[in-house]
Amino acid sequence: MSITQLVGIFLASILTENYILCKFFGICPFLGVSKKLDTALGMSAAVTFVMVLATAVTWPIYTYILVPNEFEYLQTLVFILVIAGLVQLVEIVLRKYMPPLYNALGIYLPLITTNCAVLGITMLVLDKGAEDPAFGYVASLVNALGAGIGFLVAMVMFAGVRERLESCDIPKSLRGLPITLVSASLVACSFLGFSGIVDKLLQ
Amino acid sequence: MNSILLAVIIVVIIGLIVGVVLAVASVLMAVPVDEKAAEIQEQLPGANCGACGFSGCSGYAAALSKGEAELGLCSVGGQAVIDAIAPIIGAEAVASVPKTAVVHCNGNDDNTSKVTRYQGIQSCMAATQLYGGMGECSYGCIGFGDCMAACEYGAIEVCNGVAIVKPDVCRACGKCVKACPKKLITIEPKKERAIVKCSNCDKGALTRKACKVGCIGCMKCVKTCEHDAVKVVNFHAVVDPEKCVGCGKCAEQCPQKIIFMA
């Protein structure tokens, strides 16, 4: 797979296949942790890290253990097991080396365990690999990294939107979650504009 | 080999590997748990009211164990909690000054009257939104009992249209202070002192029309006080409970009889 193709995969996973704003995965941390820019950055970094790590571990497990033995149906079970373990590991490391980030993430860090964005990326890259044999290990990792960065882009953008919302005079009935959901849908709409852009860019 | 057995074995092995890695990591990167904070938190009442100024009991416990907070901020627990926590953090037990909430209004149905009829939600907050309430006095107690609903200890009652705090039951958590839309409630130390039961900010003549027991700002109490504890702010008298010694001279002088001794 050429570098151009990898860059294409990377950009596509950030813009056109954005996991939050186009595929609507991982909405829970998107709404929960996007209140402040620094926690949004920390959460996205944790998710990106877990996504790449999870893909790096689940791809070989699937390709070299599950497929040869015809155990594809164990995919979900094994992946959740591995992701849960990885998240626990990230949590232990964070608590040791970055206590402020650990405290800031709070409940959302364990929630990455059940974050469908992480499980989604590990399973969707395998689907892509099944369709296109050229989509191998490296492409999967690039895709996972792109998905994580896409998560970060969405979180940071939305944290900015929410910080501005704080100072707005919002009707009382819309304050809190309602206005957050409305603005989330507007941001998602704006991401529709990216569809097709990446293919054209690399032609 | 039996494929079901193999599937089980694969999952078990993966699980085992994950488990071992986690076990090793948790030992290698163990973080000492703050046992002191946990111990302190057990002694705190667990009301999570925030009267201490921290996010909750756990926040206060953490700050206490690090030595960043003072003893005696927990008004709900009072002296018993101070005595229990002091040995844990190795500090001398300090005497806590018990506090209580005070309603600075005595505009009950005998003393003032209603000018509008209100049929909306039975809540002070809602009634205040509409022309500042129904009473003749726009600063006085609405009497729907938002403070009573906020109180977890049943220490506030609305009696004859005005809220009254029972000082014996009150734990001074401050929830009623936040609930009152008229800002009539304050937290004061429980000692011999004078209490001004009026918060009217209008000039004397207007106040007198609105309520029989309104402060008219005549300054008699200010002149009488030998301890500089009474001031007239916004056309009504305010007693500084820290300076007040409870001599009762201002209460004797008050022509409106709105200063009470507690």
Side-chain angles (χ1 to χ4, degrees):
Chain A
M1 205 162 229
S2 68
I3 293 290
T4 331
Q5 275 170 311
L6 289 180
V7 172
I9 292 169
F10 182 71
L11 287 178
S13 55
I14 294 177
L15 297 175
T16 49
E17 293 171 15
N18 191 295
Y19 267 67
I20 291 179
L21 297 172
C22 299
K23 291 188 190 285
F24 306 114
F25 284 142
I27 297 295
C28 165
F30 180 57
L31 296 177
V33 200
S34 58
K35 251 186 197 157
K36 279 190 201 146
L37 197 58
D38 47 347
T39 47
L41 277 173
M43 181 74 186
S44 322
V47 168
T48 311
F49 184 61
V50 171
M51 273 180 168
V52 176
L53 210 58
T55 312
V57 176
T58 53
W59 199 90
I61 289 178
Y62 182 77
T63 316
Y64 299 117
I65 299 176
L66 298 186
V67 174
N69 295 306
E70 293 174 350
F71 285 146
E72 286 94 341
Y73 64 90
L74 282 178
Q75 196 190 31
T76 318
L77 179 67
V78 170
F79 283 14
I80 288 179
L81 189 66
V82 171
I83 293 168
L86 282 174
V87 172
Q88 280 296 310
L89 193 63
V90 172
E91 195 178 348
I92 291 171
V93 172
L94 278 187
R95 193 167 56 195
K96 175 79 179 172
Y97 296 108
M98 285 176 258
L101 183 58
Y102 174 78
N103 286 330
L105 292 178
I107 185 69
Y108 294 101
L109 192 57
L111 277 180
I112 299 181
T113 314
T114 49
N115 189 337
C116 56
V118 177
L119 186 62
I121 184 76
T122 56
M123 292 170 93
L124 289 180
V125 291
L126 293 173
D127 285 353
K128 280 188 184 173
E131 281 170 20
D132 174 14
F135 198 93
Y137 190 52
V138 177
S140 302
L141 285 182
V142 169
N143 196 337
L145 181 66
I149 301 293
F151 190 92
L152 182 131
V153 168
M155 289 283 274
V156 168
M157 272 178 49
F158 199 54
V161 172
R162 280 185 85 164
E163 277 185 0
R164 299 193 78 165
L165 279 180
E166 293 276 309
S167 56
C168 288
D169 184 23
I170 301 159
K172 203 165 189 186
S173 52
L174 279 177
R175 267 175 217 172
L177 211 49
I179 194 73
T180 310
L181 288 169
V182 170
S183 29
S185 62
L186 289 177
V187 174
C189 281
S190 72
F191 258 66
L192 274 180
F194 286 121
S195 53
I197 251 183
V198 174
D199 299 339
K200 290 273 170 6
L201 261 182
L202 296 171
Q203 263 173 15
Chain B
M1 198 198 269
N2 189 335
S3 67
I4 295 179
L5 196 63
L6 190 59
V8 172
I9 289 172
I10 286 179
V11 175
V12 166
I13 288 176
I14 293 175
L16 263 181
I17 294 171
V18 171
V20 168
V21 169
L22 280 183
V24 170
S26 67
V27 171
L28 281 183
M29 296 186 232
V31 178
V33 182
D34 197 344
E35 283 174 18
K36 224 172 166 189
E39 219 174 313
I40 294 170
Q41 196 179 346
E42 261 175 43
Q43 300 298 331
L44 290 171
N48 286 319
C49 60
C52 52
F54 292 90
S55 54
C57 289
S58 61
Y60 184 42
L64 269 175
S65 80
K66 284 181 199 155
E68 291 167 359
E70 283 174 28
L71 270 173
L73 294 180
C74 182
S75 57
V76 175
Q79 193 64 47
V81 164
I82 294 178
D83 294 342
I85 293 175
I88 302 177
I89 61 169
E92 291 282 313
V94 290
S96 82
V97 184
K99 291 183 176 177
T100 181
V102 178
V103 182
H104 292 278
C105 177
N106 197 23
N108 58 27
D109 293 342
D110 301 332
N111 294 328
T112 183
S113 52
K114 305 263 181 274
V115 285
T116 55
R117 202 178 291 155
Y118 173 78
Q119 290 183 324
I121 310 163
Q122 300 290 296
S123 133
C124 307
M125 191 60 89
T128 312
Q129 310 289 321
L130 213 65
Y131 307 107
M134 326 70 94
E136 186 105 46
C137 169
S138 55
Y139 300 93
C141 179
I142 308 276
F144 282 134
D146 280 14
C147 48
M148 192 165 70
C151 185
E152 284 182 17
Y153 308 102
I156 294 194
E157 264 181 10
V158 173
C159 189
N160 200 11
V162 68
I164 292 173
V165 179
K166 302 176 199 158
D168 302 338
V169 191
C170 178
R171 312 279 274 276
C173 70
K175 284 196 174 167
C176 51
V177 177
K178 287 177 199 145
C180 181
K182 294 293 185 189
K183 308 267 175 278
L184 293 173
I185 309 177
T186 55
I187 302 288
E188 292 181 1
K190 217 188 272 184
K191 63 171 195 180
E192 281 278 306
R193 71 194 190 285
I195 298 169
V196 179
K197 287 209 169 181
C198 181
S199 304
N200 191 305
C201 300
D202 282 335
K203 285 185 180 167
L206 282 172
T207 311
R208 208 193 285 270
K209 272 182 204 158
C211 181
K212 283 184 208 162
V213 289
C215 178
I216 51 173
C218 66
M219 310 287 283
K220 272 191 181 165
C221 46
V222 181
K223 286 169 196 153
T224 315
C225 186
E226 293 157 7
H227 306 276
D228 195 28
V230 195
K231 285 201 171 64
V232 170
V233 182
N234 285 333
F235 304 105
H236 64 268
V238 176
V239 174
D240 182 351
E242 302 293 334
K243 288 182 186 165
C244 180
V245 294
C247 64
K249 284 181 186 160
C250 52
E252 281 167 26
Q253 286 291 324
C254 182
Q256 295 289 93
K257 297 289 167 224
I258 55 157
I259 304 185
F260 293 77
M261 298 310 297

